[in-house]
Amino acid sequence: MSIDEIALYDRQIRLWGMAAQANMRSSSVLLINLGAIGNEVAKNIVLSGIGSLTILDSNVITEEDLGSQFFIGKEDVGTKRLDAARPHIEDMNPRVKLSIDTDNVLSKDTEYFSQFSLIVATDLTPAEIKELNKKTRDVKVPLYAAGINGFSGYIFADLIQFLSVDEKLKSARPAELGQTSPNKVIVELDERKDEEKNVVYQVITTKHTFKPLDELLHSAILTNQLSRRQLKRMTPKVPLTLTLLKQDTKYDSLDLETFHSQYHSTCKQLGLQIEEVSTETIKQFIDQISVELSPVAAVIGGALSQDVINVLGKRQSPLNNFVVFDGVTLDMWVFEL
């Protein structure tokens, strides 16, 4: 890294180290769709100093976009999102190589995705996410997918397999080699002594194994990681979101009665003991599908961006593998499914 770059990213380098910053500088990210979440992700990772960002979005700006996206203005309605947003993104950090692609994501073959270090997909239907997930797995490229449904949002991560290195103060009960959860196993342990503070840190290398979305949806259970009290107080947004992601039909053709029945099946599969949810609650959730609210986008986009930065910098353990945010209760549930 040049002296100018070190000066520019000085605060970040102090936070996560030169090696992590250099890893990000050599990375290339594909961001699919520049909606409300996409705006947040683009802003955060461009400012972090990644090497290159490609944004794939074929959408034209509508009046509805103005309330949830900050790279566009009223004068841009009717133009391509990427054409309007590009100069603003470039101004944030000219050192990041920015490429735009106005093709539809469905037009891209598997080989197209192999050129990237990591892919972030937003605002896709469940069928589109599953199809994309198959392609990214074929070329062994990590994938994040995220979406907003009114007052709730979700993040799905499939990094396939990932090694993380964490440092923790060595305690009376230090970490040990072996399986720590269904998706995580500690494969290496080391120690680092801080002479100045006279303390010893454990350096823990963990192997994280991820599932594709289709497999996650059909095998997900929560009874193995949550207490009975947690299962009972859980927000209905969790099973509602998972039920939505199981859909293979278009959102505008969802049947309320069928969705309600599928919701009950999802609760049973997860092992939830939540109270009966009214038809009106489910109807409100369906009516809010794909509705973008800026505060929810800021939370989901912020959490997603931070994990992307951690993964690209090879710094800390990543999300493994599903997050649901309830904007009404302000609870963010992180699950290993």
Side-chain angles (χ1 to χ4, degrees):
M1 294 179 67
S2 68
I3 294 176
D4 288 344
E5 285 179 297
I6 293 173
L8 177 64
Y9 302 125
D10 176 70
R11 185 175 296 179
Q12 296 171 187
I13 291 171
R14 291 174 186 272
L15 178 63
W16 54 58
M18 181 71 78
Q21 190 67 48
N23 286 334
M24 286 191 289
R25 181 179 179 269
S26 63
S27 64
S28 58
V29 175
L30 171 66
L31 172 61
I32 300 173
N33 289 327
L34 197 64
I37 299 178
N39 272 235
E40 296 287 344
V41 173
K43 167 179 67 74
N44 292 334
I45 65 175
V46 164
L47 291 174
S48 74
I50 62 168
S52 67
L53 172 65
T54 298
I55 307 177
L56 178 63
D57 191 326
S58 60
N59 291 286
V60 171
I61 298 170
T62 65
E63 292 279 353
E64 288 74 19
D65 292 327
L66 300 178
S68 60
Q69 299 174 35
F70 46 74
F71 288 131
I72 59 175
K74 191 173 182 180
E75 68 280 3
D76 298 316
V77 172
T79 64
K80 290 282 189 180
R81 278 182 184 174
L82 293 185
D83 292 336
R86 181 173 192 164
H88 303 293
I89 298 173
E90 288 176 330
D91 285 346
M92 288 193 302
N93 191 347
R95 293 182 179 276
V96 176
K97 180 183 177 182
L98 178 65
S99 302
I100 63 172
D101 190 333
T102 56
D103 287 347
N104 189 292
V105 64
L106 299 178
S107 70
K108 300 299 186 182
D109 61 17
T110 302
E111 191 58 30
Y112 170 81
F113 301 103
S114 66
Q115 63 186 296
F116 303 104
S117 308
L118 183 146
I119 296 169
V120 179
T122 67
D123 307 330
L124 296 181
T125 66
E128 290 169 340
I129 297 172
K130 292 168 190 174
E131 181 61 30
L132 175 63
N133 201 182
K134 290 178 184 176
K135 293 178 179 179
T136 57
R137 281 211 151 226
D138 284 345
V139 292
K140 296 180 171 56
V141 175
L143 170 70
Y144 286 90
I148 300 177
N149 303 303
F151 288 99
S152 66
Y154 71 89
I155 302 169
F156 160 71
D158 179 13
L159 308 185
I160 307 173
Q161 197 170 90
F162 185 82
L163 286 177
S164 67
V165 180
D166 298 271
E167 282 195 3
K168 294 183 179 179
L169 194 64
K170 189 173 182 180
S171 64
R173 298 182 62 183
E176 298 180 350
L177 293 173
Q179 201 86 25
T180 60
S181 69
N183 298 343
K184 303 171 189 173
V185 57
I186 295 176
V187 295
E188 187 177 335
L189 289 172
D190 205 347
E191 291 185 359
R192 180 182 68 83
K193 187 171 182 179
D194 188 324
E195 300 288 352
E196 186 177 333
K197 296 181 180 178
N198 195 30
V199 294
V200 176
Y201 293 93
Q202 267 198 308
V203 183
I204 306 168
T205 302
T206 305
K207 182 172 73 174
H208 305 258
T209 304
F210 291 77
K211 299 176 183 177
L213 181 60
D214 218 17
E215 181 182 337
L216 179 151
L217 293 172
H218 288 91
S219 64
I221 57 172
L222 293 174
T223 51
N224 61 347
Q225 58 182 297
L226 298 178
S227 67
R228 182 174 297 182
R229 182 177 181 182
Q230 289 173 316
L231 290 170
K232 192 170 183 179
R233 67 173 286 270
M234 180 174 293
T235 170
K237 295 293 173 56
V238 172
L240 283 170
T241 300
L242 289 168
T243 301
L244 177 64
L245 290 172
K246 290 180 179 181
Q247 305 304 309
D248 292 321
T249 58
K250 293 183 178 180
Y251 291 151
D252 56 9
S253 61
L254 289 177
D255 177 73
L256 178 60
E257 186 175 340
T258 302
F259 193 90
H260 201 158
S261 175
Q262 293 171 336
Y263 166 81
H264 281 292
S265 297
T266 300
C267 288
K268 185 176 180 181
Q269 173 190 325
L270 295 173
L272 297 181
Q273 303 173 37
I274 58 179
E275 297 178 359
E276 171 64 23
V277 172
S278 68
T279 300
E280 182 60 29
T281 297
I282 294 182
K283 182 178 183 303
Q284 287 177 354
F285 180 82
I286 291 176
D287 289 342
Q288 291 179 2
I289 290 174
S290 298
V291 173
E292 297 182 321
L293 298 178
S294 293
V296 178
V299 174
I300 292 293
L304 174 54
S305 302
Q306 187 57 59
D307 210 56
V308 167
I309 291 168
N310 285 342
V311 168
L312 293 176
K314 297 178 172 57
R315 294 174 51 243
Q316 299 175 357
S317 294
L319 295 171
N320 188 345
N321 48 3
F322 199 77
V323 177
V324 175
F325 173 66
D326 186 335
V328 175
T329 64
L330 301 183
D331 288 327
M332 179 173 278
W333 297 81
V334 182
F335 303 109
E336 181 179 334
L337 299 178

